[in-house]
Amino acid sequence: MSNSRTVLIDNHPGRTAQTVGIARVLGTDTSLIHEPSVGVIGNKGDSQCYMGVQAKVEAIHESLLGRMGREDGKMPMRLVQPEYTVATSDGIRNGTREMRYSLIGREVTHDSICEHLSASGLEGTIAVVACDKPPVGTLAALLEHNRPSIIMSDGPIRPGVDPKSNEPLDIISAYQAAGHQDPEHRERIACAACPGYGSCSGMFTYNTMQTFIGVVGMQPLHMVAPPSDDPRRTEQFPGELVDYLEGLIDSNTTPRDIVGPDSIRNALITAMAIGGSTNVTLHTPEIARAAGYADFWKEIMTPEEFNHLSQNVVPVLTDARPYGQYSMVDIDQVGGVQVIVRELLEAGLLNGDVPTCTGETLAQQVERLATPRADGTVIYPVATPYKSTGGLRVLGGNLSPAFSAVLKLAGVEAGLEDNVFKGKARIFEGETGLLEALDKNPDSFENNDIIIVRYEGPSGAPGMPEMLDPTSRITALCREREIVLALMTDARFSGGSVGLVIGHVGPEAALGGPIAFIEDGDEIVADLNKNELNCTALSDPATLEARKAAWQKVVDANGGIHPNCGDADTRLLNRMRRSAVPATRGAGMHPDREVWVNEQREAAKSGFVPSNKHRPGSQKAF
């Protein structure tokens, strides 16, 4: 031990005592206790999604432990014990009021990791992530801390199998089975849908965001798709991750060196190409903010550019659940997400020169992995895609003056005639009322109804729950009766939702957005040629003003909040209500909420301006 280190210990025995104790328990050199620290973090929670995380964290920790020391070839750093975050289960809580905590879980993960990284002063971090929201909170915290870091997906669950039909199943199969009349069928599907452990296996939010994190450069591409129980995740990948982290530390490459405008664009374009979850338009602005870009939709990609790419440039390349047949496990078996990236790179749709966590550019990583070509069954080539247009669309119009509404076009099964839907509004002041109607009176829904669910936004719910339960029941109802039902909400959807469903409508009802002024029977028009969402009645200024005044009178009489908003009866719900920013800014908790909320309110007052004039964009890929 050097004299300077001895003096530091002697001068601060209180600070040093536990550090020495931890080093002894972990089996590391006590002379390293004042060196820069490294460690592993993992996401945990109440679902199968998280059950495989601890084994990976422990394997990576052991790999790091073997690399700590002052000998040649080792890392002269302090090793800290693993830390875990907590989150709720989207799958178990969908359709319940507890689902309000799902998106809040992203924020809680962010806060807890921020506390750990900052208070522990980690100079190197490996994160194992699982489920939907914690990975985004983890990435955002790593970007804010901005010291060398790398992420590994825990991996998807293997699909279940229907013992009667031998068809593959997943959690979406079980949600859609809720509309089936046979109790034996419902029980059989529920019991068979989710064997083993791991996160959702379809191209839902989890795999959309894992693909995003890989393409944005923070996760090695070959670690995205293998299932959670794949032995590579505990035997091969830990050593590779430590190698990559050491390289990042040696070169002082930080997350903000990797996650820049071009890499974010790459990741979002890839999300379009996999028919990914609508949640990617919620999470990308938050990731961009954490990377130093306050307004994603102005600084990195405009709404009209997003739509131009999806409509005219980026096709869907995967035949994946929920809109197709296959799972992420199938994608792994035909070469992994790097196959999708290769196709997009060769078509000139991605920038291959961006850096990644492996120390290579994106293109170099794909080349080193000896990436095969698309098999044409699970993954399609760009030249002959699964679908000719991208999977996502954002909408303006008089119901979405903030240009926040989003539609997963890849999941639409019916209802668009020449890219236009016209329907009659049926209002529900919250998700609970809709679920009750679907349970007790499903025959009351008529062809071309557009169901409006409001007061479920970031502030209104509070927490912006996703609506997998009602959308799944609606899908089953539409298939059974051969009708078309659309759904529009200021809440959000699971990546497993299919159908003509439009979420993130803003400003939300709780803030006096136009969705609050729709009445039963109003004509609603979703025009994907113009990318607009309009209520015909609200096109009349006199009608709009009268309904707005009536709404404001109710709000004023209730102390400034509409009575249809949910109760904020815990500290977290209250914090969300008071600090939630709009969906266009990521729907997270931020102190500058009022600035961003007022932007949306001004947009609602001034009325919708067509997107090609509202926010000019380059309308190109790379």
Side-chain angles (χ1 to χ4, degrees), residues 36-56:
S37 55
V38 296
V40 192
I41 57 178
N43 299 153
K44 293 284 279 182
D46 176 28
S47 78
Q48 288 166 290
C49 306
Y50 305 102
M51 293 179 72
V53 170
Q54 187 169 339
K56 283 80 169 181

Side-chain angles (χ1 to χ4, degrees), residues 407-428:
L407 166 70
K408 185 173 180 175
L409 192 57
V412 174
E413 296 184 344
L416 292 174
E417 296 292 335
D418 298 323
N419 281 325
V420 176
F421 170 83
K422 291 184 180 180
K424 182 176 67 176
R426 181 167 177 187
I427 309 294
F428 291 90

Side-chain angles (χ1 to χ4, degrees), residues 425-442:
R426 181 167 177 187
I427 309 294
F428 291 90
E429 310 290 3
E431 182 186 25
T432 302
L434 171 58
L435 285 170
E436 184 176 349
L438 288 166
D439 271 341
K440 296 180 178 179
N441 196 16

